[in-house]
Amino acid sequence: MSELVTTEFVLFLYAAYFGIEIAFAYDLLRIFRRVVGHNRLAMAFEDFVYWLWTGVKAFLMLYEYHNGSLRFYTILGVCTGIFLYTVSVGAFFVKVSAKLLNKTKESAFRAAGKAGKKAESVLERPRRAAASKLYAFKELGGRKCRRIYRTLKKKLTVLGKMIKILLCKH
């Protein structure tokens, strides 16, 4: 083969590798979206960053190897790389990775919930002791102490609920 054909074939293979690389990067983005919940604005921003990265990388490849000119075999190489990656391992990789990461996330949240319930049961004794002291204070005092008791009880109840939310949140 002539040197020109060999060079173009190597550039075709490099373009195919670039296609595999951008398809893999998009699959990582898809996995991230399946594991972490997103709204439309976040997805639009992620897509923008992805396509900006892809465009810059494609421009640098074309500038470095073709002096900025667009060649048909380069576009064909990128499309071939994307197609080969997607058909061979792309769908399987996304499905398995997302499922594995979701299971890991669920078990981590489950463990955190159990730890939160344990901490809540440990904190229950001092709360009950404080409540009984407040009740005794209410019974010893008159009407004024009852108002203070109600106020303190409300604040302790709110504080207890806040601690419960913080410990059991997932």
mmCIF file of all heavy atoms in Angstrom, residues 80-130:
data_model
loop_
_atom_site.group_PDB
_atom_site.id
_atom_site.type_symbol
_atom_site.label_atom_id
_atom_site.label_comp_id
_atom_site.label_asym_id
_atom_site.label_seq_id
_atom_site.Cartn_x
_atom_site.Cartn_y
_atom_site.Cartn_z
ATOM 1 N N THR A 80 -18.369 4.667 12.819
ATOM 2 C CA THR A 80 -18.071 3.234 12.969
ATOM 3 C C THR A 80 -17.715 2.903 14.413
ATOM 4 O O THR A 80 -18.178 1.907 14.968
ATOM 5 C CB THR A 80 -16.925 2.824 12.030
ATOM 6 O OG1 THR A 80 -17.287 3.139 10.686
ATOM 7 C CG2 THR A 80 -16.613 1.355 12.142
ATOM 8 N N GLY A 81 -16.890 3.745 15.027
ATOM 9 C CA GLY A 81 -16.511 3.514 16.427
ATOM 10 C C GLY A 81 -17.698 3.564 17.362
ATOM 11 O O GLY A 81 -17.853 2.722 18.242
ATOM 12 N N ILE A 82 -18.556 4.559 17.166
ATOM 13 C CA ILE A 82 -19.765 4.674 17.996
ATOM 14 C C ILE A 82 -20.651 3.455 17.800
ATOM 15 O O ILE A 82 -21.139 2.858 18.771
ATOM 16 C CB ILE A 82 -20.531 5.972 17.665
ATOM 17 C CG1 ILE A 82 -19.744 7.186 18.128
ATOM 18 C CG2 ILE A 82 -21.916 5.963 18.294
ATOM 19 C CD1 ILE A 82 -20.315 8.509 17.655
ATOM 20 N N PHE A 83 -20.858 3.047 16.560
ATOM 21 C CA PHE A 83 -21.715 1.894 16.265
ATOM 22 C C PHE A 83 -21.144 0.615 16.876
ATOM 23 O O PHE A 83 -21.869 -0.149 17.526
ATOM 24 C CB PHE A 83 -21.878 1.739 14.755
ATOM 25 C CG PHE A 83 -22.675 0.541 14.370
ATOM 26 C CD1 PHE A 83 -24.050 0.516 14.531
ATOM 27 C CD2 PHE A 83 -22.050 -0.600 13.865
ATOM 28 C CE1 PHE A 83 -24.792 -0.594 14.186
ATOM 29 C CE2 PHE A 83 -22.779 -1.717 13.521
ATOM 30 C CZ PHE A 83 -24.157 -1.718 13.678
ATOM 31 N N LEU A 84 -19.843 0.366 16.678
ATOM 32 C CA LEU A 84 -19.234 -0.859 17.215
ATOM 33 C C LEU A 84 -19.300 -0.910 18.736
ATOM 34 O O LEU A 84 -19.588 -1.956 19.317
ATOM 35 C CB LEU A 84 -17.790 -0.984 16.739
ATOM 36 C CG LEU A 84 -17.597 -1.305 15.264
ATOM 37 C CD1 LEU A 84 -16.116 -1.300 14.905
ATOM 38 C CD2 LEU A 84 -18.228 -2.645 14.919
ATOM 39 N N TYR A 85 -19.045 0.206 19.379
ATOM 40 C CA TYR A 85 -19.110 0.227 20.847
ATOM 41 C C TYR A 85 -20.540 0.000 21.327
ATOM 42 O O TYR A 85 -20.776 -0.787 22.234
ATOM 43 C CB TYR A 85 -18.582 1.562 21.393
ATOM 44 C CG TYR A 85 -18.806 1.690 22.882
ATOM 45 C CD1 TYR A 85 -17.961 1.056 23.772
ATOM 46 C CD2 TYR A 85 -19.889 2.408 23.383
ATOM 47 C CE1 TYR A 85 -18.180 1.147 25.140
ATOM 48 C CE2 TYR A 85 -20.107 2.509 24.735
ATOM 49 C CZ TYR A 85 -19.252 1.870 25.609
ATOM 50 O OH TYR A 85 -19.465 1.949 26.952
ATOM 51 N N THR A 86 -21.489 0.691 20.716
ATOM 52 C CA THR A 86 -22.881 0.585 21.146
ATOM 53 C C THR A 86 -23.419 -0.827 20.942
ATOM 54 O O THR A 86 -24.111 -1.360 21.810
ATOM 55 C CB THR A 86 -23.749 1.593 20.371
ATOM 56 O OG1 THR A 86 -23.204 2.897 20.556
ATOM 57 C CG2 THR A 86 -25.173 1.582 20.858
ATOM 58 N N VAL A 87 -23.096 -1.438 19.833
ATOM 59 C CA VAL A 87 -23.589 -2.780 19.535
ATOM 60 C C VAL A 87 -22.896 -3.825 20.402
ATOM 61 O O VAL A 87 -23.530 -4.769 20.882
ATOM 62 C CB VAL A 87 -23.400 -3.106 18.037
ATOM 63 C CG1 VAL A 87 -23.654 -4.562 17.747
ATOM 64 C CG2 VAL A 87 -24.313 -2.244 17.205
ATOM 65 N N SER A 88 -21.608 -3.659 20.670
ATOM 66 C CA SER A 88 -20.871 -4.710 21.377
ATOM 67 C C SER A 88 -21.071 -4.647 22.897
ATOM 68 O O SER A 88 -21.579 -5.586 23.485
ATOM 69 C CB SER A 88 -19.379 -4.637 21.035
ATOM 70 O OG SER A 88 -18.854 -3.384 21.440
ATOM 71 N N VAL A 89 -20.673 -3.592 23.545
ATOM 72 C CA VAL A 89 -20.717 -3.572 25.002
ATOM 73 C C VAL A 89 -21.521 -2.425 25.589
ATOM 74 O O VAL A 89 -21.772 -2.402 26.788
ATOM 75 C CB VAL A 89 -19.282 -3.514 25.606
ATOM 76 C CG1 VAL A 89 -18.561 -4.808 25.457
ATOM 77 C CG2 VAL A 89 -18.496 -2.371 25.034
ATOM 78 N N GLY A 90 -21.929 -1.460 24.805
ATOM 79 C CA GLY A 90 -22.561 -0.246 25.315
ATOM 80 C C GLY A 90 -23.784 -0.486 26.168
ATOM 81 O O GLY A 90 -23.843 -0.069 27.320
ATOM 82 N N ALA A 91 -24.783 -1.150 25.614
ATOM 83 C CA ALA A 91 -26.043 -1.353 26.339
ATOM 84 C C ALA A 91 -25.838 -2.232 27.571
ATOM 85 O O ALA A 91 -26.389 -1.964 28.645
ATOM 86 C CB ALA A 91 -27.081 -1.965 25.420
ATOM 87 N N PHE A 92 -25.052 -3.274 27.430
ATOM 88 C CA PHE A 92 -24.772 -4.177 28.549
ATOM 89 C C PHE A 92 -24.045 -3.434 29.663
ATOM 90 O O PHE A 92 -24.368 -3.584 30.841
ATOM 91 C CB PHE A 92 -23.933 -5.361 28.051
ATOM 92 C CG PHE A 92 -23.534 -6.316 29.132
ATOM 93 C CD1 PHE A 92 -24.460 -7.175 29.684
ATOM 94 C CD2 PHE A 92 -22.235 -6.341 29.596
ATOM 95 C CE1 PHE A 92 -24.101 -8.061 30.680
ATOM 96 C CE2 PHE A 92 -21.860 -7.215 30.594
ATOM 97 C CZ PHE A 92 -22.791 -8.082 31.144
ATOM 98 N N PHE A 93 -23.070 -2.613 29.297
ATOM 99 C CA PHE A 93 -22.288 -1.860 30.271
ATOM 100 C C PHE A 93 -23.174 -0.910 31.064
ATOM 101 O O PHE A 93 -23.074 -0.835 32.289
ATOM 102 C CB PHE A 93 -21.168 -1.092 29.562
ATOM 103 C CG PHE A 93 -20.387 -0.168 30.443
ATOM 104 C CD1 PHE A 93 -19.563 -0.670 31.425
ATOM 105 C CD2 PHE A 93 -20.485 1.203 30.287
ATOM 106 C CE1 PHE A 93 -18.839 0.179 32.238
ATOM 107 C CE2 PHE A 93 -19.767 2.056 31.097
ATOM 108 C CZ PHE A 93 -18.945 1.542 32.076
ATOM 109 N N VAL A 94 -24.056 -0.194 30.398
ATOM 110 C CA VAL A 94 -24.930 0.764 31.076
ATOM 111 C C VAL A 94 -25.887 0.040 32.012
ATOM 112 O O VAL A 94 -26.049 0.422 33.173
ATOM 113 C CB VAL A 94 -25.714 1.618 30.044
ATOM 114 C CG1 VAL A 94 -26.792 2.432 30.720
ATOM 115 C CG2 VAL A 94 -24.768 2.516 29.285
ATOM 116 N N LYS A 95 -26.517 -1.023 31.527
ATOM 117 C CA LYS A 95 -27.503 -1.737 32.335
ATOM 118 C C LYS A 95 -26.871 -2.335 33.596
ATOM 119 O O LYS A 95 -27.365 -2.147 34.712
ATOM 120 C CB LYS A 95 -28.143 -2.853 31.507
ATOM 121 C CG LYS A 95 -29.281 -3.561 32.220
ATOM 122 C CD LYS A 95 -29.815 -4.726 31.416
ATOM 123 C CE LYS A 95 -30.462 -4.255 30.139
ATOM 124 N NZ LYS A 95 -31.078 -5.350 29.382
ATOM 125 N N VAL A 96 -25.750 -3.041 33.437
ATOM 126 C CA VAL A 96 -25.108 -3.712 34.570
ATOM 127 C C VAL A 96 -24.527 -2.698 35.548
ATOM 128 O O VAL A 96 -24.701 -2.823 36.768
ATOM 129 C CB VAL A 96 -24.016 -4.688 34.068
ATOM 130 C CG1 VAL A 96 -23.178 -5.218 35.206
ATOM 131 C CG2 VAL A 96 -24.662 -5.833 33.317
ATOM 132 N N SER A 97 -23.855 -1.679 35.042
ATOM 133 C CA SER A 97 -23.237 -0.688 35.927
ATOM 134 C C SER A 97 -24.279 0.085 36.716
ATOM 135 O O SER A 97 -24.113 0.303 37.920
ATOM 136 C CB SER A 97 -22.381 0.282 35.116
ATOM 137 O OG SER A 97 -21.341 -0.393 34.476
ATOM 138 N N ALA A 98 -25.347 0.505 36.059
ATOM 139 C CA ALA A 98 -26.392 1.252 36.752
ATOM 140 C C ALA A 98 -27.065 0.383 37.811
ATOM 141 O O ALA A 98 -27.328 0.842 38.925
ATOM 142 C CB ALA A 98 -27.425 1.772 35.754
ATOM 143 N N LYS A 99 -27.329 -0.880 37.483
ATOM 144 C CA LYS A 99 -27.958 -1.775 38.455
ATOM 145 C C LYS A 99 -27.045 -2.000 39.660
ATOM 146 O O LYS A 99 -27.484 -1.948 40.815
ATOM 147 C CB LYS A 99 -28.285 -3.114 37.791
ATOM 148 C CG LYS A 99 -29.177 -4.012 38.630
ATOM 149 C CD LYS A 99 -29.512 -5.294 37.906
ATOM 150 C CE LYS A 99 -30.500 -5.010 36.800
ATOM 151 N NZ LYS A 99 -31.024 -6.220 36.169
ATOM 152 N N LEU A 100 -25.759 -2.215 39.409
ATOM 153 C CA LEU A 100 -24.802 -2.425 40.490
ATOM 154 C C LEU A 100 -24.681 -1.192 41.379
ATOM 155 O O LEU A 100 -24.700 -1.298 42.615
ATOM 156 C CB LEU A 100 -23.437 -2.798 39.905
ATOM 157 C CG LEU A 100 -22.315 -3.065 40.898
ATOM 158 C CD1 LEU A 100 -22.608 -4.349 41.668
ATOM 159 C CD2 LEU A 100 -20.989 -3.191 40.171
ATOM 160 N N LEU A 101 -24.587 -0.018 40.772
ATOM 161 C CA LEU A 101 -24.474 1.209 41.559
ATOM 162 C C LEU A 101 -25.753 1.513 42.330
ATOM 163 O O LEU A 101 -25.697 1.990 43.469
ATOM 164 C CB LEU A 101 -24.105 2.379 40.652
ATOM 165 C CG LEU A 101 -22.667 2.384 40.150
ATOM 166 C CD1 LEU A 101 -22.461 3.487 39.124
ATOM 167 C CD2 LEU A 101 -21.690 2.554 41.293
ATOM 168 N N ASN A 102 -26.917 1.223 41.742
ATOM 169 C CA ASN A 102 -28.176 1.439 42.463
ATOM 170 C C ASN A 102 -28.291 0.516 43.657
ATOM 171 O O ASN A 102 -28.758 0.914 44.726
ATOM 172 C CB ASN A 102 -29.365 1.266 41.524
ATOM 173 C CG ASN A 102 -29.647 2.522 40.737
ATOM 174 O OD1 ASN A 102 -29.431 3.619 41.211
ATOM 175 N ND2 ASN A 102 -30.118 2.348 39.524
ATOM 176 N N LYS A 103 -27.878 -0.753 43.507
ATOM 177 C CA LYS A 103 -27.916 -1.672 44.643
ATOM 178 C C LYS A 103 -26.965 -1.222 45.742
ATOM 179 O O LYS A 103 -27.292 -1.290 46.918
ATOM 180 C CB LYS A 103 -27.570 -3.092 44.187
ATOM 181 C CG LYS A 103 -28.699 -3.794 43.499
ATOM 182 C CD LYS A 103 -28.386 -5.235 43.236
ATOM 183 C CE LYS A 103 -29.577 -5.894 42.564
ATOM 184 N NZ LYS A 103 -29.400 -7.310 42.389
ATOM 185 N N THR A 104 -25.790 -0.755 45.350
ATOM 186 C CA THR A 104 -24.827 -0.256 46.334
ATOM 187 C C THR A 104 -25.395 0.956 47.057
ATOM 188 O O THR A 104 -25.281 1.067 48.281
ATOM 189 C CB THR A 104 -23.505 0.123 45.631
ATOM 190 O OG1 THR A 104 -23.022 -1.003 44.916
ATOM 191 C CG2 THR A 104 -22.471 0.577 46.624
ATOM 192 N N LYS A 105 -26.026 1.854 46.304
ATOM 193 C CA LYS A 105 -26.629 3.051 46.906
ATOM 194 C C LYS A 105 -27.749 2.663 47.873
ATOM 195 O O LYS A 105 -27.830 3.188 48.985
ATOM 196 C CB LYS A 105 -27.163 3.951 45.797
ATOM 197 C CG LYS A 105 -27.783 5.247 46.292
ATOM 198 C CD LYS A 105 -28.261 6.113 45.149
ATOM 199 C CE LYS A 105 -29.572 5.614 44.627
ATOM 200 N NZ LYS A 105 -30.235 6.527 43.697
ATOM 201 N N GLU A 106 -28.603 1.714 47.469
ATOM 202 C CA GLU A 106 -29.708 1.292 48.332
ATOM 203 C C GLU A 106 -29.196 0.659 49.619
ATOM 204 O O GLU A 106 -29.713 0.939 50.704
ATOM 205 C CB GLU A 106 -30.598 0.303 47.590
ATOM 206 C CG GLU A 106 -31.439 0.930 46.509
ATOM 207 C CD GLU A 106 -32.137 -0.107 45.643
ATOM 208 O OE1 GLU A 106 -32.071 -1.316 45.967
ATOM 209 O OE2 GLU A 106 -32.745 0.293 44.634
ATOM 210 N N SER A 107 -28.182 -0.187 49.521
ATOM 211 C CA SER A 107 -27.662 -0.821 50.737
ATOM 212 C C SER A 107 -26.984 0.199 51.638
ATOM 213 O O SER A 107 -27.065 0.095 52.869
ATOM 214 C CB SER A 107 -26.705 -1.969 50.386
ATOM 215 O OG SER A 107 -25.588 -1.490 49.676
ATOM 216 N N ALA A 108 -26.348 1.211 51.057
ATOM 217 C CA ALA A 108 -25.730 2.256 51.876
ATOM 218 C C ALA A 108 -26.806 3.062 52.601
ATOM 219 O O ALA A 108 -26.666 3.368 53.796
ATOM 220 C CB ALA A 108 -24.877 3.178 51.006
ATOM 221 N N PHE A 109 -27.902 3.392 51.913
ATOM 222 C CA PHE A 109 -28.991 4.112 52.557
ATOM 223 C C PHE A 109 -29.661 3.259 53.634
ATOM 224 O O PHE A 109 -30.066 3.757 54.676
ATOM 225 C CB PHE A 109 -30.032 4.573 51.535
ATOM 226 C CG PHE A 109 -29.638 5.822 50.806
ATOM 227 C CD1 PHE A 109 -29.855 5.933 49.446
ATOM 228 C CD2 PHE A 109 -29.046 6.884 51.457
ATOM 229 C CE1 PHE A 109 -29.503 7.083 48.767
ATOM 230 C CE2 PHE A 109 -28.692 8.029 50.792
ATOM 231 C CZ PHE A 109 -28.919 8.131 49.441
ATOM 232 N N ARG A 110 -29.796 1.961 53.371
ATOM 233 C CA ARG A 110 -30.387 1.063 54.356
ATOM 234 C C ARG A 110 -29.522 1.021 55.617
ATOM 235 O O ARG A 110 -30.035 1.084 56.740
ATOM 236 C CB ARG A 110 -30.535 -0.333 53.756
ATOM 237 C CG ARG A 110 -31.655 -1.129 54.373
ATOM 238 C CD ARG A 110 -31.909 -2.461 53.668
ATOM 239 N NE ARG A 110 -32.181 -2.315 52.246
ATOM 240 C CZ ARG A 110 -31.440 -2.854 51.285
ATOM 241 N NH1 ARG A 110 -30.395 -3.585 51.572
ATOM 242 N NH2 ARG A 110 -31.737 -2.676 50.010
ATOM 243 N N ALA A 111 -28.204 0.922 55.440
ATOM 244 C CA ALA A 111 -27.292 0.897 56.587
ATOM 245 C C ALA A 111 -27.346 2.219 57.351
ATOM 246 O O ALA A 111 -27.339 2.239 58.585
ATOM 247 C CB ALA A 111 -25.868 0.616 56.121
ATOM 248 N N ALA A 112 -27.443 3.332 56.620
ATOM 249 C CA ALA A 112 -27.532 4.639 57.276
ATOM 250 C C ALA A 112 -28.846 4.761 58.047
ATOM 251 O O ALA A 112 -28.886 5.328 59.142
ATOM 252 C CB ALA A 112 -27.416 5.755 56.247
ATOM 253 N N GLY A 113 -29.931 4.208 57.504
ATOM 254 C CA GLY A 113 -31.217 4.232 58.197
ATOM 255 C C GLY A 113 -31.187 3.429 59.487
ATOM 256 O O GLY A 113 -31.714 3.848 60.509
ATOM 257 N N LYS A 114 -30.528 2.259 59.435
ATOM 258 C CA LYS A 114 -30.408 1.449 60.648
ATOM 259 C C LYS A 114 -29.579 2.180 61.694
ATOM 260 O O LYS A 114 -29.908 2.157 62.885
ATOM 261 C CB LYS A 114 -29.771 0.104 60.321
ATOM 262 C CG LYS A 114 -30.693 -0.845 59.602
ATOM 263 C CD LYS A 114 -30.019 -2.164 59.302
ATOM 264 C CE LYS A 114 -30.926 -3.087 58.520
ATOM 265 N NZ LYS A 114 -30.263 -4.344 58.160
ATOM 266 N N ALA A 115 -28.501 2.823 61.271
ATOM 267 C CA ALA A 115 -27.673 3.581 62.213
ATOM 268 C C ALA A 115 -28.464 4.742 62.803
ATOM 269 O O ALA A 115 -28.349 5.050 63.992
ATOM 270 C CB ALA A 115 -26.411 4.086 61.517
ATOM 271 N N GLY A 116 -29.289 5.388 61.978
ATOM 272 C CA GLY A 116 -30.119 6.486 62.467
ATOM 273 C C GLY A 116 -31.141 6.019 63.486
ATOM 274 O O GLY A 116 -31.372 6.683 64.497
ATOM 275 N N LYS A 117 -31.761 4.856 63.249
ATOM 276 C CA LYS A 117 -32.728 4.330 64.209
ATOM 277 C C LYS A 117 -32.050 3.949 65.517
ATOM 278 O O LYS A 117 -32.595 4.149 66.604
ATOM 279 C CB LYS A 117 -33.460 3.132 63.614
ATOM 280 C CG LYS A 117 -34.452 3.538 62.546
ATOM 281 C CD LYS A 117 -35.190 2.370 61.981
ATOM 282 C CE LYS A 117 -36.128 2.857 60.889
ATOM 283 N NZ LYS A 117 -36.849 1.792 60.249
ATOM 284 N N LYS A 118 -30.834 3.414 65.424
ATOM 285 C CA LYS A 118 -30.090 3.069 66.626
ATOM 286 C C LYS A 118 -29.758 4.332 67.418
ATOM 287 O O LYS A 118 -29.922 4.368 68.645
ATOM 288 C CB LYS A 118 -28.804 2.330 66.227
ATOM 289 C CG LYS A 118 -28.030 1.791 67.377
ATOM 290 C CD LYS A 118 -28.723 0.612 67.976
ATOM 291 C CE LYS A 118 -27.792 -0.076 68.947
ATOM 292 N NZ LYS A 118 -28.445 -1.127 69.678
ATOM 293 N N ALA A 119 -29.324 5.369 66.734
ATOM 294 C CA ALA A 119 -29.011 6.636 67.400
ATOM 295 C C ALA A 119 -30.269 7.247 68.009
ATOM 296 O O ALA A 119 -30.228 7.818 69.100
ATOM 297 C CB ALA A 119 -28.364 7.601 66.417
ATOM 298 N N GLU A 120 -31.389 7.088 67.318
ATOM 299 C CA GLU A 120 -32.646 7.608 67.848
ATOM 300 C C GLU A 120 -33.034 6.900 69.141
ATOM 301 O O GLU A 120 -33.460 7.535 70.103
ATOM 302 C CB GLU A 120 -33.742 7.424 66.801
ATOM 303 C CG GLU A 120 -35.092 7.924 67.227
ATOM 304 C CD GLU A 120 -36.167 7.598 66.213
ATOM 305 O OE1 GLU A 120 -35.839 7.184 65.095
ATOM 306 O OE2 GLU A 120 -37.348 7.753 66.564
ATOM 307 N N SER A 121 -32.854 5.581 69.180
ATOM 308 C CA SER A 121 -33.201 4.853 70.403
ATOM 309 C C SER A 121 -32.259 5.217 71.545
ATOM 310 O O SER A 121 -32.669 5.258 72.700
ATOM 311 C CB SER A 121 -33.175 3.346 70.146
ATOM 312 O OG SER A 121 -31.847 2.907 69.920
ATOM 313 N N VAL A 122 -30.998 5.515 71.228
ATOM 314 C CA VAL A 122 -30.056 5.936 72.267
ATOM 315 C C VAL A 122 -30.443 7.310 72.799
ATOM 316 O O VAL A 122 -30.344 7.577 74.002
ATOM 317 C CB VAL A 122 -28.610 5.943 71.711
ATOM 318 C CG1 VAL A 122 -27.663 6.659 72.634
ATOM 319 C CG2 VAL A 122 -28.141 4.522 71.458
ATOM 320 N N LEU A 123 -30.908 8.196 71.924
ATOM 321 C CA LEU A 123 -31.291 9.542 72.341
ATOM 322 C C LEU A 123 -32.662 9.598 73.002
ATOM 323 O O LEU A 123 -33.030 10.612 73.580
ATOM 324 C CB LEU A 123 -31.268 10.477 71.133
ATOM 325 C CG LEU A 123 -29.893 10.765 70.537
ATOM 326 C CD1 LEU A 123 -30.036 11.554 69.254
ATOM 327 C CD2 LEU A 123 -29.032 11.511 71.529
ATOM 328 N N GLU A 124 -33.430 8.512 72.946
ATOM 329 C CA GLU A 124 -34.779 8.497 73.508
ATOM 330 C C GLU A 124 -34.754 8.572 75.042
ATOM 331 O O GLU A 124 -35.582 9.241 75.644
ATOM 332 C CB GLU A 124 -35.513 7.234 73.039
ATOM 333 C CG GLU A 124 -36.948 7.140 73.473
ATOM 334 C CD GLU A 124 -37.835 8.190 72.833
ATOM 335 O OE1 GLU A 124 -37.486 8.736 71.781
ATOM 336 O OE2 GLU A 124 -38.887 8.473 73.422
ATOM 337 N N ARG A 125 -33.808 7.893 75.672
ATOM 338 C CA ARG A 125 -33.742 7.897 77.152
ATOM 339 C C ARG A 125 -33.546 9.299 77.722
ATOM 340 O O ARG A 125 -34.282 9.688 78.632
ATOM 341 C CB ARG A 125 -32.626 6.970 77.613
ATOM 342 C CG ARG A 125 -33.020 5.527 77.537
ATOM 343 C CD ARG A 125 -31.975 4.637 78.192
ATOM 344 N NE ARG A 125 -31.980 3.365 77.493
ATOM 345 C CZ ARG A 125 -30.925 2.712 77.091
ATOM 346 N NH1 ARG A 125 -29.729 3.189 77.339
ATOM 347 N NH2 ARG A 125 -31.030 1.580 76.461
ATOM 348 N N PRO A 126 -32.556 10.080 77.235
ATOM 349 C CA PRO A 126 -32.423 11.431 77.785
ATOM 350 C C PRO A 126 -33.645 12.309 77.517
ATOM 351 O O PRO A 126 -34.012 13.147 78.350
ATOM 352 C CB PRO A 126 -31.204 12.004 77.062
ATOM 353 C CG PRO A 126 -30.473 10.854 76.519
ATOM 354 C CD PRO A 126 -31.449 9.762 76.348
ATOM 355 N N ARG A 127 -34.309 12.080 76.401
ATOM 356 C CA ARG A 127 -35.511 12.869 76.107
ATOM 357 C C ARG A 127 -36.616 12.558 77.106
ATOM 358 O O ARG A 127 -37.282 13.448 77.616
ATOM 359 C CB ARG A 127 -35.992 12.586 74.682
ATOM 360 C CG ARG A 127 -37.126 13.535 74.246
ATOM 361 C CD ARG A 127 -37.895 13.029 73.056
ATOM 362 N NE ARG A 127 -38.635 11.819 73.288
ATOM 363 C CZ ARG A 127 -39.806 11.737 73.941
ATOM 364 N NH1 ARG A 127 -40.349 12.798 74.468
ATOM 365 N NH2 ARG A 127 -40.420 10.579 74.089
ATOM 366 N N ARG A 128 -36.783 11.282 77.396
ATOM 367 C CA ARG A 128 -37.821 10.905 78.370
ATOM 368 C C ARG A 128 -37.493 11.436 79.761
ATOM 369 O O ARG A 128 -38.383 11.877 80.484
ATOM 370 C CB ARG A 128 -37.955 9.382 78.415
ATOM 371 C CG ARG A 128 -38.713 8.830 77.251
ATOM 372 C CD ARG A 128 -38.975 7.370 77.430
ATOM 373 N NE ARG A 128 -39.667 6.846 76.264
ATOM 374 C CZ ARG A 128 -39.905 5.582 76.066
ATOM 375 N NH1 ARG A 128 -39.511 4.684 76.952
ATOM 376 N NH2 ARG A 128 -40.532 5.189 74.990
ATOM 377 N N ALA A 129 -36.218 11.385 80.121
ATOM 378 C CA ALA A 129 -35.815 11.901 81.428
ATOM 379 C C ALA A 129 -36.097 13.393 81.510
ATOM 380 O O ALA A 129 -36.623 13.885 82.526
ATOM 381 C CB ALA A 129 -34.338 11.624 81.671
ATOM 382 N N ALA A 130 -35.784 14.130 80.467
ATOM 383 C CA ALA A 130 -36.041 15.571 80.450
ATOM 384 C C ALA A 130 -37.537 15.847 80.514
ATOM 385 O O ALA A 130 -37.985 16.762 81.212
ATOM 386 C CB ALA A 130 -35.433 16.204 79.211
#
